[in-house]
Amino acid sequence: MDIRELQGYASFFMTILLVGVLYWYIIYLYRSEKKGEKDYEKLGNIALDDEIDSTPINTSDPVSDEKKERNK
Amino acid sequence: MQSNAALEYDYSVAKLFTYTTILFGFLGMLIGTLIAAQLAFPDLNYLLGEYGTFSRLRPLHTNIVIFGFTLSGVFATFYYSAQRVLKVSMAESKFIMFIGKLHFWLYFVGALIGVITLLLGYTQAKEYAQFEWPVDIAIVIVWVLWGVAMFALIGIRREKALYISMWYYIACFLGVAMLYLFNNMSVPTYFTSGGVGSIMHSVSMYSGTNDALVQWWYGHNAVAFGFTVPIVAMIYYFLPKESGQAVYSYKLSLLSFWGLMFVYLWAGSHHLLWSTVPDWMQTMGSVFSIVLILPSWGSAINMLLTMKGEWNQLTENPLIKFMVLASTFYMLSTLEGPIQAIKSVNAIAHFTDWIPGHVHDGVLGWVVFMIMAALFHMAPRMFKREIYSKKLLEAQFWLQTTAVVLYFTSMWIAGITQGMMWRAVDEYGNLMYSFIDTVTVLHPYYAIRALSGVMYLTGFLMFAYNMIKTMSSSRELTEEPQFRSPMA
Ligand code: HEM
């Protein structure tokens, strides 16, 4: 197998791998939201509420947010 | 700043880059209009001796609009919006302020040197990479400074989650850094010729097909990381902020981001279809170009859906009009590009006017519209004055939209006519037309394009006037508008 052929195969399998990773990422995004681990949509507010003294939307982790609230 | 003064965002660097955006935008489009007119009326080549020829001015046009206008716009919007989405002011760190200002001044001096060297005819003769090595080095330093400012700002942020726009700015920074370094590897001919050559003229370290591949890996991704990624960063911040609507789907924005990052880097070989690069690579370029529709439309549709239920704003607020039209043109050109990357279509489209037609529905409709809208949104906040004239804004919108349509439709017709004429053969297999036959047929379309240039440039002057008036003499605002930008 010469180098050109190798490059071809490498490119092919890398594509498959990356496509796999991308699909896994979609599933990951939705699953972690469903389980309540993350709340991505909340982050959209970062653009709207962007005064220097407004409270940070801060974490994408509602569970730890709750903990913080309780510890206050 | 006094220590007891309330903390505010510091827009001094954003303002400086706003000025250069206007300056370079005007210069770049003036030259664009001139070269468009030269193609229609060749006598215009002889106005300024060697400095006024098409071949001298074309790279000047592309480099000024890319590295002058677009990058200034990217930096201006970055220094404005990054502070806001990170909820940290540049004034909080003397170091960041210093780097930001140094970034601007080195950039400005570098840009002037770049313009002068190109005008004098110093060029590496690689498209969008014409600058000779001393300018390249200046660009690298400027870029590193931007990176330092960016990551320092991220380092002291209050908002822990990075908003999606920041991801796109970071990608722009990293992507361009990698591309620019690799494509501009070159050696002055002085060193390769035993002293006969010149210090100021260098040749690429790659040769032949490899050089072409690296060049178009760079060239295409310059479009990706210069004309797409940072402009998407802008629309993700400015459209939600101006309309008061959070982005429709944050998850879709993340997904489109990674999709774009995966796919874009592999599409560059579509610039080399039917050339001497390996066949599988050409096919790969085509395939990835088609796939590219998905992440591109992912962002664009996300933006349009952000306006869901709020479409009345489209008629009431000209800035929303600019941004919605920008994302629509983004959709058009990201559909058109993949079509041109299909091998059989490319056989007709390549080397024809359809290509500049495609380029300009993207840049005029998407890049420039988005940058202007962003600056208009920033102006009342930076200068604490309302936008000078809504009427002028409306008139500018319609004038420029008409200009874009004239530009790309004339080039579509010209390009396809040209492509068909070049390949037409008679019953014996002889070519039916010589080159000059096509030139004669295309003349009216070139004239239309020149006219569209004049119209677009006039629109840009209206923008510049409106901005300058906003900075200097518009009604003062007592408090910062939250969403919709106030205008008279
Ligand atoms: C008044 C507005 C403009 C006019 C009239 C104009 C005109 C032109 C002309 C005549 C060419 C040469 C086409 C050829 O060689 O056949 C060109 C090339 C180009 N322009 Fe513009 N231009 C304008 C604005 C812009 C802007 C704002 C950008 C980017 C932000 C831009 C980016 C480019 C690029 C990348 C090319 C090279 C295209 C290629 O190699 O296929 N132009 N322009």
Side-chain angles (χ1 to χ4, degrees):
Chain A
M1 209 162 24
D2 65 359
I3 179 85
R4 285 245 221 100
E5 216 172 313
L6 260 174
Q7 285 171 329
Y9 279 114
S11 156
F12 179 77
F13 285 110
M14 193 133 107
T15 310
I16 300 282
L17 177 80
L18 292 179
V19 169
V21 171
L22 201 62
Y23 275 93
W24 167 82
Y25 185 56
I26 301 179
I27 296 169
Y28 167 80
L29 283 177
Y30 277 87
R31 203 186 266 166
S32 56
E33 241 184 23
K34 211 169 172 188
K35 283 198 210 143
E37 289 166 2
K38 296 260 164 79
D39 181 1
Y40 290 104
E41 296 311 323
K42 189 175 72 174
L43 299 182
N45 293 328
I46 295 178
L48 301 185
D49 186 12
D50 61 350
E51 298 310 316
I52 190 130
D53 48 9
S54 49
T55 12
I57 315 288
N58 219 355
T59 160
S60 54
D61 187 352
V63 183
S64 74
D65 267 0
E66 271 167 34
K67 269 191 208 143
K68 256 188 252 156
E69 293 288 314
R70 260 184 270 137
N71 292 345
K72 259 181 195 164
Chain B
M1 194 192 242
Q2 280 180 338
S3 55
N4 59 353
L7 194 54
E8 278 189 3
Y9 291 124
D10 189 307
Y11 296 132
S12 40
V13 181
K15 281 182 196 167
L16 290 171
F17 278 114
T18 300
Y19 307 142
T20 48
T21 314
I22 298 173
L23 173 72
F24 287 129
F26 169 67
L27 262 183
M29 289 180 221
L30 180 69
I31 299 175
T33 306
L34 177 58
I35 60 175
Q38 286 178 338
L39 286 171
F41 309 102
D43 282 342
L44 293 172
N45 271 275
Y46 310 115
L47 295 177
L48 297 161
E50 66 175 290
Y51 306 106
T53 55
F54 181 83
S55 53
R56 198 59 72 84
L57 292 180
R58 189 188 194 276
L60 210 56
H61 165 62
T62 54
N63 284 287
I64 293 182
V65 291
I66 297 173
F67 296 105
F69 167 74
T70 307
L71 274 193
S72 285
V74 171
F75 294 147
T77 56
F78 169 80
Y79 280 108
Y80 175 88
S81 65
Q83 297 184 71
R84 303 192 64 116
V85 296
L86 298 171
K87 295 198 175 79
V88 60
S89 167
M90 285 181 77
E92 290 176 63
S93 158
K94 286 216 174 70
F95 172 73
I96 298 180
M97 263 330 276
F98 172 74
I99 295 289
K101 293 217 164 118
L102 188 65
H103 174 201
F104 172 79
W105 286 109
L106 277 186
Y107 165 83
F108 190 57
V109 173
L112 287 185
I113 297 176
V115 169
I116 293 167
T117 53
L118 283 183
L119 206 54
L120 293 177
Y122 292 106
T123 168
Q124 284 182 164
K126 290 177 87 164
E127 197 164 17
Y128 319 131
Q130 280 97 350
F131 292 133
E132 272 297 351
W133 63 270
V135 183
D136 284 343
I137 291 176
I139 292 181
V140 170
I141 297 173
V142 167
W143 206 253
V144 170
L145 285 172
W146 184 37
V148 172
M150 180 184 292
F151 289 106
L153 215 55
I154 291 177
I156 61 167
R157 71 190 189 276
R158 293 200 179 77
E159 181 63 74
K160 290 301 172 222
L162 291 184
Y163 185 61
I164 185 70
S165 294
M166 286 305 294
W167 287 94
Y168 277 98
Y169 281 119
I170 294 172
C172 167
F173 169 73
L174 293 177
V176 174
M178 169 181 76
L179 295 158
Y180 202 86
L181 280 181
F182 277 105
N183 190 45
N184 282 289
M185 297 284 177
S186 59
V187 206
T189 49
Y190 180 82
F191 295 113
T192 52
S193 59
V196 188
S198 151
I199 283 280
M200 271 304 285
H201 180 250
S202 59
V203 284
S204 172
M205 299 237 277
Y206 319 102
S207 58
T209 302
N210 285 337
D211 190 40
L213 264 176
V214 177
Q215 162 61 27
W216 285 108
W217 171 71
Y218 165 82
H220 183 68
N221 289 299
V223 175
F225 290 92
F227 281 159
T228 304
V229 167
I231 315 298
V232 175
M234 289 176 205
I235 199 163
Y236 269 126
Y237 172 77
F238 289 101
L239 184 65
K241 183 69 183 170
E242 178 72 25
S243 67
Q245 297 278 99
V247 48
Y248 174 71
S249 165
Y250 200 83
K251 286 189 288 300
L252 180 57
S253 75
L254 292 175
L255 196 65
S256 312
F257 175 81
W258 288 112
L260 207 69
M261 295 304 119
F262 276 165
V263 181
Y264 235 128
L265 286 164
W266 304 97
S269 52
H270 67 213
H271 286 262
L272 297 164
L273 297 181
W274 307 107
S275 75
T276 53
V277 307
D279 202 48
W280 69 265
M281 243 179 200
Q282 300 184 25
T283 308
M284 181 184 74
S286 287
V287 172
F288 273 89
S289 304
I290 307 283
V291 180
L292 208 44
I293 299 175
L294 290 173
S296 310
W297 279 47
S299 292
I301 288 177
N302 209 357
M303 281 304 113
L304 295 181
L305 285 175
T306 296
M307 295 309 297
K308 205 171 127 188
E310 287 289 323
W311 283 105
N312 56 315
Q313 291 198 27
L314 190 67
T315 51
E316 292 156 10
N317 185 347
L319 292 191
I320 297 288
K321 238 185 243 175
F322 271 96
M323 290 193 252
V324 167
L325 198 86
S327 62
T328 314
F329 268 111
Y330 179 48
M331 290 175 85
L332 171 71
S333 52
T334 51
L335 185 64
E336 187 185 17
I339 291 174
Q340 295 182 326
I342 298 169
K343 273 189 175 177
S344 48
V345 179
N346 194 264
I348 297 185
H350 200 51
F351 296 127
T352 71
D353 288 311
W354 189 6
I355 306 298
H358 163 60
V359 170
H360 290 83
D361 54 54
V363 292
L364 301 180
W366 157 239
V367 178
V368 184
F369 265 43
M370 190 55 227
I371 291 179
M372 291 188 308
L375 296 188
F376 268 134
H377 172 93
M378 286 155 59
R381 282 117 182 139
M382 294 196 299
F383 301 101
K384 302 195 172 26
R385 288 170 190 274
E386 68 179 2
I387 295 173
Y388 176 66
S389 165
K390 182 176 177 181
K391 277 215 185 84
L392 198 59
L393 206 58
E394 294 273 3
Q396 179 205 336
F397 175 84
W398 288 112
L399 183 64
Q400 287 191 311
T401 304
T402 315
V404 185
V405 174
L406 283 179
Y407 195 128
F408 74 76
T409 46
S410 62
M411 289 301 104
W412 281 355
I413 300 172
I416 293 171
T417 307
Q418 213 175 14
M420 298 301 256
M421 285 177 81
W422 285 343
R423 57 157 55 194
V425 283
D426 65 16
E427 53 192 312
Y428 305 108
N430 298 317
L431 289 176
M432 283 173 66
Y433 303 103
S434 65
F435 187 76
I436 195 67
D437 294 332
T438 65
V439 177
T440 320
V441 174
L442 298 181
H443 179 263
Y445 305 108
Y446 286 170
I448 295 176
R449 178 195 22 207
L451 173 71
S452 84
V454 174
M455 289 164 66
Y456 201 88
L457 182 68
T458 311
F460 195 80
L461 281 172
M462 289 156 87
F463 157 74
Y465 178 76
N466 216 347
M467 282 295 284
I468 291 167
K469 279 296 205 184
T470 303
M471 293 171 200
S472 58
S473 60
S474 199
R475 190 174 63 86
E476 289 192 32
L477 298 173
T478 45
E479 65 181 62
E480 193 184 273
Q482 194 186 5
F483 298 127
R484 186 179 172 159
S485 305
M487 49 189 82

